[in-house]
């Protein structure tokens, strides 16, 4: 299957600093990437949808000035947690879909996940 | 608001039992429903369902989608301890842009 690479897999940072997480689709072009946050023993919470060449679409309750998303190319999206605080500590996962816009309704589309980034803010 | 609801949230069974996990959805612009298994890190893909009534099967796992009643089930037969995980259901929506929305997950524990 397709490969999505997320980096770093874990990071520890001091409160007040910013952290950038990268998500790359290695063998396909991803016009859309999704960023999720996951707390222990909970499901994935969609934070934002990242569209190549345009602004990200944030879910309700997610601060766009705090979680900056950039989708500069068809293979790279970045999430920057600005002025991180301990409550931002979480597991962040990106996902990319490979979708053929010319395909008929009912044809297959699959979402591929990065390995996730464990962020700890101290 | 797009909603994906899984049940049960938690399930504990004995090895060898058969389990059925449920996923219902209320969304606009439905394209596909996907099932994932999550153990320690990122979810791993199990199935993608787009058409109603067609069962997808992989070993002891199978899944089917009902687009009229807006739900899907994931069956696991002859469960093993290695099946213990969180099972996530997600719905892919497409209207111009795409959106992938997850349910809360079902935490499945298989006891020996």
């Amino acid at each position: 299957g397709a490969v999505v690479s997320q980096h770093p897999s874990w990071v520890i940072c001091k409160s007040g600093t910013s952290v950038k997480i990268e998500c790359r689709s290695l063998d396909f072009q991803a016009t859309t990437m999704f960023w999720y946050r996951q707390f222990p023993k909970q499901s994935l919470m969609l934070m934002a949808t990242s569209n190549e060449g345009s602004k990200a679409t944030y879910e309700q309750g997610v601060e766009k000035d705090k979680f900056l998303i950039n989708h500069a190319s068809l293979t790279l999206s970045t999430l920057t947690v600005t002025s991180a605080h301990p409550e931002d500590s979480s597991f962040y996962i990106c996902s990319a879909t490979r979708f053929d816009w010319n395909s008929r309704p009912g044809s297959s589309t699959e979402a591929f996940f990065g390995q996730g980034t464990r962020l700890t803010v101290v | 608001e797009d909603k994906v609801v899984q049940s049960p949230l938690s399930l504990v069974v004995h090895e060898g039992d058969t389990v059925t996990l449920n996923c219902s959805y209320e969304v606009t612009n439905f394209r596909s429903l996907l099932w994932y298994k999550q153990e320690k890190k990122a979810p791993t893909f199990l199935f993608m369902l787009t058409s109603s009534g067609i069962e997808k099967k992989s070993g002891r796992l199978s899944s089917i989608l009902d687009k009229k009643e807006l739900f899907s089930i994931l069956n696991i037969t002859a469960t093993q301890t290695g099946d213990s995980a969180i099972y996530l259901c997600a719905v892919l929506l497409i209207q111009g842009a795409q959106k992938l929305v997850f349910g809360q997950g079902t935490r499945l524990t298989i006891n020996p």
Side-chain angles (χ1 to χ4, degrees):
Chain A
V3 178
V4 175
S5 175
Q6 190 172 336
H7 177 81
S9 56
W10 62 270
V11 58
I12 301 173
C13 71
K14 287 186 178 179
S15 194
T17 60
S18 294
V19 174
K20 181 187 277 190
I21 303 170
E22 290 188 349
C23 181
R24 292 180 187 273
S25 57
L26 297 186
D27 55 357
F28 69 101
Q29 292 183 334
T31 52
T32 303
M33 291 186 177
F34 305 97
W35 286 97
Y36 296 88
R37 184 173 180 176
Q38 187 175 33
F39 292 104
K41 298 186 180 181
Q42 293 188 28
S43 186
L44 280 70
M45 183 192 79
L46 179 64
M47 297 174 67
T49 302
S50 167
N51 302 297
E52 185 267 336
S54 64
K55 290 183 180 178
T57 304
Y58 288 81
E59 294 300 301
Q60 199 169 16
V62 178
E63 298 175 60
K64 54 183 163 185
D65 294 332
K66 180 162 188 63
F67 298 100
L68 299 177
I69 290 173
N70 183 269
H71 196 147
S73 75
L74 285 171
T75 58
L76 173 64
S77 176
T78 60
L79 167 68
T80 302
V81 183
T82 62
S83 187
H85 290 286
E87 57 265 29
D88 298 325
S89 298
S90 190
F91 190 56
Y92 294 87
I93 307 179
C94 72
S95 169
T97 55
R98 181 173 58 186
F99 177 66
D100 177 7
W101 290 100
N102 295 318
S103 63
R104 294 179 184 176
S107 62
S108 61
T109 300
E110 193 174 327
F112 304 94
F113 284 88
Q115 307 93 316
T117 299
R118 170 79 54 199
L119 170 64
T120 303
V121 185
V122 297
Chain B
E1 187 190 339
D2 298 312
K3 218 166 24 171
V4 180
V5 178
Q6 288 184 249
S7 64
L9 296 181
S10 179
L11 184 59
V12 180
V13 300
H14 289 293
E15 206 167 17
D17 288 351
T18 292
V19 297
T20 298
L21 309 184
N22 303 291
C23 176
S24 63
Y25 59 92
E26 280 181 47
V27 302
T28 52
N29 306 300
F30 174 90
R31 173 54 71 103
S32 304
L33 185 144
L34 301 93
W35 284 97
Y36 291 88
K37 178 182 181 182
Q38 186 177 28
E39 294 175 89
K40 289 182 182 172
K41 285 210 168 178
T44 53
F45 174 79
L46 294 176
F47 297 111
M48 181 176 61
L49 305 155
T50 308
S51 301
S52 220
I54 300 173
E55 186 184 51
K56 294 224 171 170
K57 207 168 164 61
S58 176
R60 296 176 292 103
L61 278 67
S62 63
S63 185
I64 197 161
L65 173 67
D66 185 328
K67 288 168 78 171
K68 186 179 173 189
E69 300 298 327
L70 307 182
F71 78 92
S72 172
I73 59 171
L74 174 69
N75 273 324
I76 309 175
T77 59
T79 52
Q80 301 170 0
T81 53
D83 295 328
S84 296
I86 297 174
Y87 289 83
L88 298 165
C89 165
V91 173
L92 180 66
L93 318 173
I94 294 179
Q95 184 191 24
Q98 301 172 39
K99 189 171 173 178
L100 187 64
V101 180
F102 281 83
Q104 321 93 303
T106 294
R107 180 176 288 277
L108 177 63
T109 304
I110 311 295
N111 288 327

